[in-house]
Structure formats: C-alpha cells, structure tokens
Amino acid sequence: MVEAMLRGFRAQQTARGLRDEGITKREQVVKRFMAFTNEYPWLWSAGQVDEWSLSLTAEHHLAPSTIRQYQCHLRLFTEYLTDPRYGWVRACENEFGLGMHPVPIVHEWNTIAHLNDYEGNPDARPFTRDELQQFFDYADDQVEWAVRTGRKGALAAYRDATLFKVIYGWGLRRTEAAKLDVVDWGRNPAAPEFGRYGMLHVRYGKAKRGQMPRRRNVAAVMGWAVEAVADYVENVRPRFGHVDHPALWVTERGGRIKSAEINARFSAYRDALGLPSVLVPHSLRHSYVTHLTEDSVDRRFIQSQVGHECDSSTAIYTHVSNDFMNSALRRALSPAFETGPFEKRSL
C-alpha cells in the first residue's frame, strides 16, 4: 500500500510538470518521516509532526528554511492521500478497517511560517573593494608561483582565478558558473567593444520550486573581466587538451569542474589571506550587486542581470559602503539648500 501511494504521488507530480530531482527529494522526506515515526501513513498524527520538527531543530540543527521545506513536502504528500479524488481514504478503510485512513497532519499551527524575505546568516556580507582586490591578486599570484616553481596545477590555478572573476563580473551563482559552456558567450550589439564576450547566456539559473532551471542573458559591464575570460578561453583552456569538451571550466582529466571544487579553492584562498569565514563564493555575487549600486547603476538593470523577479530580492543583496551612503545623502540634501539655508522655498 505504501509503495502504491508513493507511485501515485510521483505520477501526480509528474503530471504537474515537476522535475524528477524535486520529486525524488519529496519522496525521500516522506520516507524519512515514516522511519522517524515507525508508522504507516494511515496511522500518522499531527503530534508526530511536532516531534519530528523538534528533532530536526534540536538534534540535526537544520535551518528554519530547510525544516519548512521538509514540512511542505510532507504536507503535499498527506494532501494527496486525503484528496477524495484519489481514493486512498476508501482504499485504506477497505484494507485495514473503519477509521484506518490518512488524515491531514501538517497545518499552519505546527509549521514554520515564512515571515522574513531573508532567512540566511545575518553575518553574511559582500567583499569590500579592498578585500576583493586582495582575493583576485592572490589568485593571480598562485598562477605565477606555480609557473615559476615548475609545480603542477598552473592551468587549474589560472582556470579558478578566471572563474572567480567571472562569478563576480557577471553576478553569477556558483552552480550557474560551474555549468557554463563555451558556446554560452555571445556578442552584444550594444557593446561591440566586448566582441564575442558581450553577452552571457545563463542556462542553469535558480529554478522555481519544482520547475526547470530559468534562463537569462547577462550583459558584460566590466571590461577587465571580459579581458580575463577572453584570455582564458583563447590561450589557456586549449592547453588542458580537451578542446571538444563543451564545458567552459574543464579539469585536467577532461571533466567539468564541480561546485565542491569551487568551494575548496575559494576557502583555501580566503583562509590564506585571513579574510573572514563569512565570505563564501556567493559573496562575490553579493559584491556584484553592491558595487554596481555604489556606482549608481540603475536598480532595475541590476535586478535583470542577477535574475531576480522581485526588487525585494535584489535589496537583500545590497550592502552599500559608508562612502556611498554619504554621497547619496549629499545628493539628497543638495536640492534643499540650493537657495541657501535661510531663504524660504515654495513647496
């Protein structure tokens, strides 16, 4: 009966056009809850959800957003079981007896409410411009050191240094950058000076829940970043010996670089420089938004570049420096004092 329920749940989600990856995650959550309760779905109760949520918080120390997502997965499964159109209540009563059937167990009183737009670590922040320069300089120094000492890894170091510059220069997420192909670069008629690197087609943008990855085009705005990726593609990448591989970031063994490898290299550079541990690869994307904001780039353009549907999402990424705040303050105050501090102005 349980296996039939799971098969039906998978079929229902497939019919909705949801991705197999997301469907599998929901099934895993259902199985974990079943293992936690040691009961079948037609014997589950709301109290067991309370105990499970408590264990996720106190024992597994999961983030509230993760727990809420698990609760949502379980709610979807129990709503499917209790929907009379699928007949599971009747099937369970026929098989196990009157009153032995699934009931709604996940409701607003035993789930975590989504009250804040941002639920991440409050310590998270972008790089300052000085920190960013230190980081990029150190990454370049690793290439020079490997070449000078004749050590292996010079190509990989050059690749990773360029990868970090691309993440920052185009405001990418880590996964978006890792899955880039060489053919994702294209010309931008509005910026012919950037040649074939004027526009980046991101094919693996962050997906909406259960949907396929979203695509977007990101215009190049930093000339130095264009020069860096052009040099890598044209002069360094061919030396890996895997010219026919579609990936932009190839490995020595002919594979595609993975997110874990990006994390490892980033952490090594950050720790070597003694930079704060709150800086992570995603901080480069934060820095992109922040620095463009400080440079007075239009907010709507930035929102489109980073792929946010809502301006509130872009606002979360914005951390402007004191210098910018002071300059903005002076611009805001200037009109008020154009006629002098003691002259009357008509409103």
Side-chain angles (χ1 to χ4, degrees), residues 80-114:
Y80 161 73
L81 294 183
T82 55
D83 191 325
R85 291 171 291 189
Y86 291 100
W88 289 111
V89 171
R90 184 172 62 255
C92 288
E93 287 192 328
N94 291 339
E95 186 71 23
F96 308 116
L98 189 64
M100 301 290 286
H101 59 78
V103 297
I105 60 173
V106 184
H107 49 80
E108 62 176 323
W109 301 112
N110 65 352
T111 53
I112 298 176
H114 193 173

Side-chain angles (χ1 to χ4, degrees), residues 98-257:
L98 189 64
M100 301 290 286
H101 59 78
V103 297
I105 60 173
V106 184
H107 49 80
E108 62 176 323
W109 301 112
N110 65 352
T111 53
I112 298 176
H114 193 173
L115 302 177
N116 298 316
D117 291 331
Y118 179 70
E119 297 180 327
N121 184 354
D123 290 333
R125 65 169 179 81
F127 284 80
T128 66
R129 293 180 187 263
D130 288 341
E131 288 173 339
L132 190 66
Q133 189 63 57
Q134 291 179 45
F135 186 85
F136 287 153
D137 288 344
Y138 185 82
D140 291 338
D141 289 343
Q142 299 313 295
V143 181
E144 296 179 9
W145 178 82
V147 172
R148 186 172 60 252
T149 59
R151 300 290 183 89
K152 293 182 179 180
L155 292 178
Y158 198 107
R159 175 202 64 205
D160 294 342
T162 309
L163 187 151
F164 294 135
K165 294 171 185 176
V166 168
I167 291 177
Y168 170 73
W170 280 264
L172 304 180
R173 299 178 179 91
R174 180 190 57 190
T175 301
E176 293 173 348
K179 293 186 177 182
L180 288 177
D181 286 346
V182 177
V183 297
D184 291 333
W185 298 100
R187 297 181 181 275
N188 183 357
E193 64 271 25
F194 292 151
R196 60 168 292 196
Y197 302 99
M199 188 70 72
L200 178 60
H201 185 48
V202 177
R203 294 178 293 114
Y204 288 89
K206 186 177 181 180
K208 290 185 177 180
R209 183 170 297 175
Q211 301 300 314
M212 298 298 290
R214 289 184 291 176
R215 299 188 175 205
R216 72 178 186 278
N217 289 322
V218 185
V221 295
M222 302 179 185
W224 63 267
V226 170
E227 293 176 1
V229 73
D231 184 50
Y232 165 77
V233 172
E234 297 165 12
N235 300 316
V236 177
R237 185 180 176 279
R239 299 188 182 184
F240 281 89
H242 307 286
V243 180
D244 295 332
H245 198 291
L248 178 63
W249 317 110
V250 293
T251 65
E252 294 89 337
R253 296 183 179 182
R256 184 187 296 270
I257 194 170

Side-chain angles (χ1 to χ4, degrees), residues 124-129 132 168 171 222 282-297 299 302 306 314-322 324-325:
R125 65 169 179 81
F127 284 80
T128 66
R129 293 180 187 263
L132 190 66
Y168 170 73
M222 302 179 185
H282 204 70
S283 301
L284 294 169
R285 176 174 161 88
H286 281 218
S287 305
Y288 173 84
V289 174
T290 298
H291 296 165
L292 288 186
T293 301
E294 292 179 347
D295 292 339
S296 300
V297 176
R299 181 71 164 266
I302 299 175
V306 296
T314 308
I316 293 171
Y317 284 71
T318 304
H319 305 74
V320 295
S321 66
N322 290 335
F324 173 82
M325 293 295 291

